[in-house]
Amino acid sequence: MSMSSEPSQTRSATPPQINRLTSTRLGGKLVKDYWDRLFTAKERGAQVVWYNGAAVSPLFQAAGIEWCHGEAFGARLAAMHLEGPAQRTGEDYGYINELCSYARTTLGCAVLTKRATVDDRGISLPEADQEALASRLPPPDFFVNAYAGCSTGQQWDEISYRLFDKKLPFFKISYPLLWGNKPDAGYLRGEEWESASRQVARQVYKLIEFLEHQTGRPFDWEALRESMHYIKRASQLRLEAMALCRSKPAPATFWDWIASIAPINFLPGNQDLVDYFAGVKAEIEQRLSEGVVALPNERYRLAFDGIMNWNKVGWLANKFAENNAAVLTGRYTHNSFWNEPQLIDEDDPILGMAQHYLLCPFNHSAKVLGELLLRECENYGIEGVVFHATRTCRSASNGQLIIAQMAQRAGLQTMFFEGDVADASFYKDAILESRLEAMLEAIDTRRMSAT
């Protein structure tokens, strides 16, 4: 296939590799340090909460509790290609492979954790064994569920609660879906938005009361304000750095922002978090000043819709690079994770926090999601949208056909490929390759017809 509208131009004999940011490596160290600290929580006498869904971790940080984010651990195992033992354990326990692979992975971890807890002999495995990491989560003292837009997520902790014999306290936040079908409804506006924000804020206050009861001490409001100060600043730096990537050619890509999800999603709100995103922004600014680009022969600018296929991050990044296609924006990176920092009032942060929890990208109507995608496509000069139809995450895939139709009406090329967040068996390299080539050919044809 020719990668240019000029027939004489052919693909380089040596496929280019994407030039990833080096500053994101610090994020990897921060994440590893976080998990290593969590693994020793019980030895240090700390309380541990298992939670899923929205970023309620600042509340745990202020309450002096260690926290385990289930999806994050599932993603970590998948990215390290160590998800197999936990998934097999979950399946052996009775959770079929069509269940959300995040849930199936961490439910398998829960079975392994409980087995290690109740069996005095533990699980006698060498540290290098694949099962070692999956079985290292400290047992929880209680559960918190904070899932928006996903019915499986809302039941996930209920299943965990049963796995631990219904003996551990369990708190659940219920989020209203933002249907967007009232006359004044829209992104961050309308009575539906205001009412839902107040409803979730009331539940956050109830969660704080629950944490006070579990810890036996008053909630540290000043610690929460401090944490949210750092999170707000880190979020601002992140958005400013993202905006710099609208340049053509781009200094960084979607894959760099994928590498930065964990820090903004669940790491503690502190100066380290701010320093990390300040470093990412500084590297991008330096690249712009020196003319360093992410993709040497950038020819196509694409968007990515869907949760990441964590087993295949590096492979996907290089495959798009081989085709001179720079993926620059996506719902999972650019419309998630403290992405509206102006909503946060550092002196009184609860309402702004609640509003961010509602902004889970599965909690909007397809119309709003499509409008957000088209806004980002315009900002980044996008010509095509890649839709990752996540096999076991229906909430991520819901509405994608409608969003794709909106993109097509706006003149964008689209493609779909099937994969999964943490189960590689649902993904096929050849399907992605053939559909990507077809979409890029369509972009070339469209360009030629426009000349």
Side-chain angles (χ1 to χ4, degrees), residues 103-371:
R104 180 159 41 94
T105 301
T106 49
L107 287 171
C109 291
V111 173
L112 292 170
T113 295
K114 184 182 177 187
R115 189 183 301 165
T117 302
V118 301
D119 186 347
D120 290 337
R121 295 170 297 173
I123 303 177
S124 300
L125 295 169
E127 186 65 26
D129 194 292
Q130 281 195 339
E131 198 169 337
L133 184 60
S135 62
R136 288 189 67 192
L137 289 181
D141 293 291
F142 54 94
F143 300 100
V144 170
N145 185 274
Y147 234 114
C150 174
S151 58
T152 298
Q154 292 162 8
Q155 299 173 63
W156 183 345
D157 290 292
E158 293 176 11
I159 297 171
S160 302
Y161 171 71
R162 295 186 181 98
L163 275 173
F164 285 87
D165 304 317
K166 302 182 180 179
K167 294 180 180 178
L168 300 178
F170 177 26
F171 188 94
K172 182 175 182 178
I173 296 178
S174 177
Y175 298 94
L177 184 66
L178 299 175
W179 295 99
N181 54 9
K182 295 185 178 181
D184 66 343
Y187 185 67
L188 305 184
R189 70 174 188 271
E191 175 53 31
E192 178 186 50
W193 166 251
E194 298 296 336
S195 175
S197 299
R198 293 190 296 270
Q199 180 180 339
V200 175
R202 288 194 293 270
Q203 294 180 76
V204 174
Y205 282 111
K206 290 294 184 182
L207 173 56
I208 289 172
E209 293 178 7
F210 172 81
L211 296 178
E212 288 181 319
H213 179 74
Q214 296 306 316
T215 62
R217 55 181 177 267
F219 185 74
D220 190 339
W221 284 98
E222 189 54 39
L224 178 64
R225 295 183 186 100
E226 181 179 8
S227 173
M228 292 310 300
H229 163 77
Y230 290 121
I231 288 173
K232 181 175 183 177
R233 182 60 187 139
S235 177
Q236 290 168 332
L237 288 165
R238 175 173 173 261
L239 294 181
E240 291 165 5
M242 284 177 167
L244 294 172
C245 298
R246 298 172 185 175
S247 299
K248 297 182 181 181
T253 68
F254 173 81
W255 312 107
D256 295 303
W257 301 119
I258 285 291
S260 295
I261 284 178
I264 198 65
N265 185 26
F266 63 87
L267 290 191
N270 55 28
Q271 187 61 47
D272 287 343
L273 186 66
V274 173
D275 291 345
Y276 170 72
F277 283 104
V280 171
K281 181 184 177 185
E283 183 179 2
I284 293 174
E285 289 174 330
Q286 182 177 2
R287 285 189 172 195
L288 286 171
S289 67
E290 297 177 356
V292 177
V293 299
L295 196 57
N297 300 308
E298 179 188 307
R299 175 160 179 76
Y300 307 96
R301 294 170 72 89
L302 307 178
F304 190 103
D305 187 88
I307 297 185
M308 180 40 51
N309 189 324
W310 289 107
N311 312 85
K312 303 293 290 186
V313 175
W315 190 92
L316 287 169
N318 288 329
K319 179 53 59 178
F320 281 90
E322 288 173 15
N323 287 276
N324 300 319
V327 183
L328 298 174
T329 185
R331 186 190 345 170
Y332 195 43
T333 51
H334 288 57
N335 300 132
S336 309
F337 309 114
W338 304 113
N339 58 309
E340 299 288 353
Q342 76 281 359
L343 296 176
I344 299 172
D345 180 344
E346 295 180 28
D347 295 325
D348 187 13
I350 296 298
L351 180 61
M353 294 171 70
Q355 290 175 324
H356 274 95
Y357 302 155
L358 283 168
L359 293 180
C360 169
F362 311 143
N363 205 46
H364 298 289
S365 67
K367 177 178 179 293
V368 168
L369 291 174
E371 290 170 350

Side-chain angles (χ1 to χ4, degrees), residues 44-57:
R44 291 181 284 105
Q47 285 183 297
V48 175
V49 56
W50 285 16
Y51 79 106
N52 290 299
V56 291
S57 51

Side-chain angles (χ1 to χ4, degrees), residues 398-417:
N398 285 345
Q400 282 187 323
L401 288 175
I402 296 173
I403 298 169
Q405 291 171 352
M406 294 175 68
Q408 290 160 10
R409 288 196 295 269
L412 300 169
Q413 297 296 324
T414 62
M415 62 160 280
F416 278 80
F417 75 97

